Amino acid sequence: MTMIASMEPRATTVLQDGVLNVRKEAGWTSHDVVARIRGKLRGMKLGHAGTLDPAAAGVLPLLVGRGTRIAEYLLEWDKTYLAGLRLGETTDTQDATGTVLLRSPIESLSEARIREVVAGFEGRIQQLPPMYSAVKVGGVPLYKAARAGREVSRQVREVTVFRLDIVDVQIPEVALRVVCSKGTYIRTLCADIGDKLGVGGHMATLVRERVGPLTLEQALTVDEIESRLEQGTLAASMLTLDQALFGLPVCIVGAATAGRVLHGMPVPASEVLAWHGLSSPLSEGANRAIRIKDGAGRLLAIGTMPDGMNAEAPGANAQSIAVSKVLVTEESQGGSIANSIEE
């Protein structure tokens, strides 16, 4: 892996495309984090996957360079949160930043009853997106309607809570650890638990402990990122595109086919040299995303595997793998991207 060279102000450095594990502090917006780091990099695209509310802290995946091209695949990662639920208070935002709408007595609550109700929210559950969210209805984010005092009709969504553990109970405070699918609103989960208990509730605190393979223990603060940029060691802290896409199966192609892939041309099934990571020889459903690599193991592109393609009998397939996103160019294949650091 290429490292960032030691430098003087505005010196040229080399920083790979990939994903950076950022530890967002409470009080920062996700956009604030991107803007701060973008100020240190010149000529490199930056983005983030999985917005965290300003009051929340924890893991924020920062997409660097061509990492911005794989955001849709990273959004599929499951997540782990540590949430503080405060029972007996209902707010208009379902979290501690909102206005308290109702206070309810909690004297009758018991830890046993709380544990019983919380257990019922594990598995596939239905959630109504909160009004204070970025979900769009009619092209307008719900939070804009909420700020204007309007209630908008929303559709219930199904999400999955893979695991829901009670870490601590000190009524009215309950600490929850949630492992969940994409699209899960933790503040809505807290509010729904409070409603089920009959006393209301809201999310008092939130820390995102994990997003896919990115953990809070390994996350870097903005100050640490800037320090490593200056020291030339930041590249070692990043996930490569290939590492970030670890969950996608791989097909290997030869040199001639690889050259065509870089121009976005489809890969005939007969030109696939090998497959790795398929759970069955037949693709499971149409439009399955896969990684396309050359014989040296370099990631070239993300492809779309057609429904019913038989990986064990490529000669029997008339289908081709469409190239969805080319991730390298002929000039940059196997290399890194030169950028400047702005002091």
Side-chain angles (χ1 to χ4, degrees):
M1 183 179 294
T2 305
M3 307 293 287
I4 302 176
S6 178
M7 65 201 170
E8 297 298 326
R10 292 187 180 277
T12 298
T13 187
V14 176
L15 189 61
Q16 66 183 16
D17 301 306
V19 181
L20 189 58
N21 183 3
V22 182
R23 182 179 188 131
K24 189 187 88 65
E25 305 293 342
W28 289 62
T29 67
S30 299
H31 177 75
D32 288 339
V33 174
V34 174
R36 172 77 172 267
I37 296 174
R38 181 181 286 125
K40 292 289 181 179
L41 296 173
R42 303 182 65 197
M44 195 164 212
K45 291 183 179 179
L46 291 177
H48 64 81
T51 302
L52 269 178
D53 290 339
V59 173
L60 179 69
L62 188 70
L63 311 177
V64 181
R66 289 187 179 90
T68 57
R69 305 205 69 203
I70 65 171
E72 64 189 272
Y73 306 99
L74 273 57
L75 292 174
E76 297 294 326
W77 285 344
D78 63 342
K79 303 172 179 68
T80 300
Y81 294 92
L82 180 63
L85 163 62
R86 181 170 296 140
L87 295 169
E89 290 183 348
T90 300
T91 72
D92 58 352
T93 60
Q94 300 183 334
D95 63 18
T97 68
T99 301
V100 176
L101 302 176
L102 179 67
R103 289 186 171 88
S104 301
I106 57 173
E107 288 77 17
S108 63
L109 279 182
S110 67
E111 180 173 339
R113 175 58 178 160
I114 291 172
R115 289 186 178 277
E116 177 187 2
V117 167
V118 167
F121 283 85
E122 195 170 78
R124 293 184 178 181
I125 63 172
Q126 303 288 320
Q127 283 194 329
L128 185 67
M131 280 300 302
Y132 283 90
S133 68
V135 173
K136 291 184 178 180
V137 175
V140 179
L142 287 174
Y143 68 82
K144 290 189 176 181
R147 289 171 181 170
R150 293 186 289 109
E151 183 80 13
V152 176
S153 177
R154 294 99 76 197
Q155 289 189 339
V156 171
R157 296 180 172 187
E158 184 177 88
V159 297
T160 302
V161 177
F162 300 108
R163 185 166 179 174
L164 180 56
D165 295 326
I166 294 180
V167 178
D168 187 40
V169 178
Q170 300 290 334
I171 299 173
E173 310 292 336
V174 181
L176 302 170
R177 178 162 284 113
V178 188
V179 181
C180 58
S181 67
K182 70 170 184 175
T184 305
Y185 283 97
I186 305 302
R187 52 201 163 102
T188 299
L189 176 65
C190 289
D192 289 347
I193 290 172
D195 288 344
K196 187 72 174 178
L197 286 165
V199 298
H202 68 268
M203 184 184 76
T205 59
L206 184 67
V207 176
R208 188 153 66 189
E209 298 182 318
R210 182 185 61 84
V211 179
L214 307 179
T215 63
L216 187 60
E217 291 77 16
Q218 298 171 326
L220 302 176
T221 66
V222 171
D223 288 342
E224 288 172 332
I225 290 170
E226 291 178 342
S227 175
R228 294 191 186 195
L229 273 170
E230 294 172 359
Q231 296 168 8
T233 60
L234 183 60
S237 303
M238 295 176 64
L239 283 183
T240 64
L241 298 184
D242 196 28
Q243 290 170 332
L245 296 167
F246 71 98
L248 302 185
V250 175
C251 76
I252 306 296
V253 299
T257 305
R260 293 193 293 272
V261 166
L262 298 185
H263 290 91
M265 298 179 66
V267 178
S270 59
E271 295 183 14
V272 176
L273 302 181
W275 287 96
H276 301 295
L278 282 179
S279 56
S280 71
L282 292 175
S283 66
E284 295 125 8
N287 302 321
R288 184 178 185 185
I290 61 171
R291 286 173 286 171
I292 303 174
K293 295 186 178 184
D294 66 13
R298 288 178 294 221
L299 179 64
L300 306 174
I302 297 173
T304 302
M305 191 174 179
D307 189 25
M309 175 176 281
N310 192 334
E312 289 186 349
N317 289 290
Q319 307 108 312
S320 293
I321 300 166
V323 174
S324 306
K325 294 180 185 290
V326 176
L327 299 177
V328 297
T329 64
E330 291 177 313
E331 292 76 18
S332 66
Q333 185 177 352
S336 299
I337 300 175
N339 294 278
S340 295
I341 295 296
E342 180 179 308
E343 292 299 310

